Amino acid sequence: MMGNTMRGVITFIPSERIQRFLMGDLKEMPLDRTLDLSGRHLRRLPAAACVFDELVKLYLSDNNLSSLPAELQGLKKLQLLALDFNCFEELPAAVCKLPQLSILYLGNNRLYHLPRELRDLKELNTLWLETNCFTVFPKVVCELSNLKTLHLGYNQIRSLPKELSGLEELRSIWLAGNQLTEFPPVLLEMHYLAVIDVDRNKIRRFPGLFHMQGLKLVIYDHNPCVNAPAVGEGVRRVGRWADSPDTDKEDEGSKTASETTVEVTEVHNDEEHNI
């Protein structure tokens, strides 16, 4: 109710006063070169936000944005851009013209495809696309040569392209809540992966993963599987029979969702701390 009232009030405020209301008294570059405009009920990005061309982090999460101004591309030093929990159906062109961008949050939007220009983000190493409308894996992602972490959970993806194996820097892939009916064969070629999450899919049988020498964690819970993925020594499994020897299929129960959430949160925090 309060949010609706706030939006109603903003409608009747002249645009320049809206800018001042949203941006406060911010007239100079923040000392930490970070601007947080999350949760401000924004329908468009205030022009004043694009003035600070030394910005490194820009948070626009939890608004009502469906587009961004071309002026955004002037933020040439931007490394982190958070656009999650908005109303984007397409990725704004200006985002693909941020040469230093390394972390991009696009989760919880309405995206169903990505533009070819995304491949121009040569420094991108972390991409969050969870909870969108993808029914097909966006192949342009396979051209992000520096990508280390990919979050694509809770879409409607049924398979992964063989081109994904070209991402030799990729270390973690999160695919929970999709429509995978088999363990993606391409992942078996990616020996350098450390984390694989295929929780909440439709996989019935898992192949052996002994050969994946870089693997540290595999999450496979909530699948109608008849076996657990066999893994090498020291690899942590989250799912049915996780604590049993590979030859013993007695159901000793799966880990709780909270434990898995902690692991995801730790990875998320590590990514931001690297900037």
Side-chain angles (χ1 to χ4, degrees):
M1 179 66 71
M2 186 63 182
N4 292 334
T5 301
M6 183 66 71
R7 282 191 287 271
V9 170
I10 288 176
T11 301
F12 295 100
I13 303 177
S15 60
E16 67 275 9
R17 291 180 61 190
I18 293 176
Q19 301 264 343
R20 288 198 298 271
F21 172 76
L22 294 172
M23 300 290 291
D25 295 326
L26 189 62
K27 296 179 180 179
E28 297 181 358
M29 168 69 61
L31 292 178
D32 60 0
R33 296 196 292 173
T34 298
L35 181 57
D36 190 350
L37 295 176
S38 300
R40 303 292 185 94
H41 307 290
L42 297 175
R43 293 184 181 277
R44 63 184 181 86
L45 179 63
C50 300
V51 172
F52 304 119
D53 56 7
E54 296 290 320
L55 272 183
V56 172
K57 299 180 182 181
L58 177 58
Y59 294 90
L60 297 172
S61 307
D62 194 19
N63 282 294
N64 296 300
L65 297 168
S66 58
S67 63
L68 294 173
E71 289 80 2
L72 182 77
Q73 66 190 63
L75 304 180
K76 299 298 185 184
K77 296 185 179 181
L78 200 65
Q79 297 178 29
L80 182 152
L81 177 59
L83 299 174
D84 46 328
F85 292 94
N86 276 286
C87 305
F88 293 101
E89 295 184 3
E90 295 186 351
L91 184 64
V95 174
C96 299
K97 298 179 181 179
L98 300 170
Q100 297 301 315
L101 197 63
S102 59
I103 299 179
L104 179 57
Y105 295 104
L106 291 170
N108 290 271
N109 278 284
R110 303 169 185 172
L111 298 169
Y112 60 92
H113 77 282
L114 295 174
R116 294 182 60 188
E117 290 76 13
L118 186 73
R119 61 187 178 185
D120 295 334
L121 298 179
K122 304 298 185 184
E123 299 300 318
L124 197 65
N125 61 53
T126 302
L127 179 59
W128 290 69
L129 294 167
E130 77 283 3
T131 316
N132 274 283
C133 302
F134 294 101
T135 58
V136 176
F137 186 96
K139 279 194 175 183
V140 67
V141 170
C142 300
E143 299 184 57
L144 299 172
S145 58
N146 281 318
L147 198 65
K148 292 180 171 60
T149 301
L150 175 60
H151 291 263
L152 254 174
Y154 300 95
N155 283 281
Q156 297 294 316
I157 294 171
R158 296 179 179 276
S159 63
L160 303 185
K162 62 181 184 301
E163 291 85 354
L164 188 66
S165 63
L167 296 183
E168 297 183 358
E169 296 298 318
L170 194 66
R171 294 297 178 267
S172 62
I173 185 165
W174 307 81
L175 299 164
N178 277 284
Q179 299 292 317
L180 301 173
T181 57
E182 66 171 349
F183 187 85
V186 66
L187 297 185
L188 297 174
E189 303 174 22
M190 303 172 73
H191 302 175
Y192 36 80
L193 281 172
V195 178
I196 299 175
D197 176 15
V198 289
D199 185 22
R200 298 184 185 278
N201 276 276
K202 300 180 179 181
I203 302 171
R204 291 193 55 81
R205 181 171 295 278
F206 284 92
L209 305 179
F210 282 112
H211 67 289
M212 301 187 71
Q213 298 181 356
L215 195 61
K216 296 179 180 178
L217 171 67
V218 55
I219 306 172
Y220 63 95
D221 209 4
H222 304 100
N223 278 280
C225 54
V226 298
N227 71 319
V231 296
E233 185 177 355
V235 178
R236 189 176 183 182
R237 298 187 298 191
V238 178
R240 197 179 186 196
W241 306 302
D243 299 323
S244 302
D246 290 326
T247 56
D248 184 359
K249 294 185 179 180
E250 289 182 3
D251 186 2
E252 298 186 11
S254 63
K255 282 181 174 286
T256 63
S258 59
E259 289 179 90
T260 302
T261 302
V262 169
E263 290 166 348
V264 174
T265 303
E266 289 174 350
V267 172
H268 183 169
N269 291 338
D270 287 345
E271 290 162 357
E272 289 201 26
H273 292 160
N274 288 336
I275 292 184

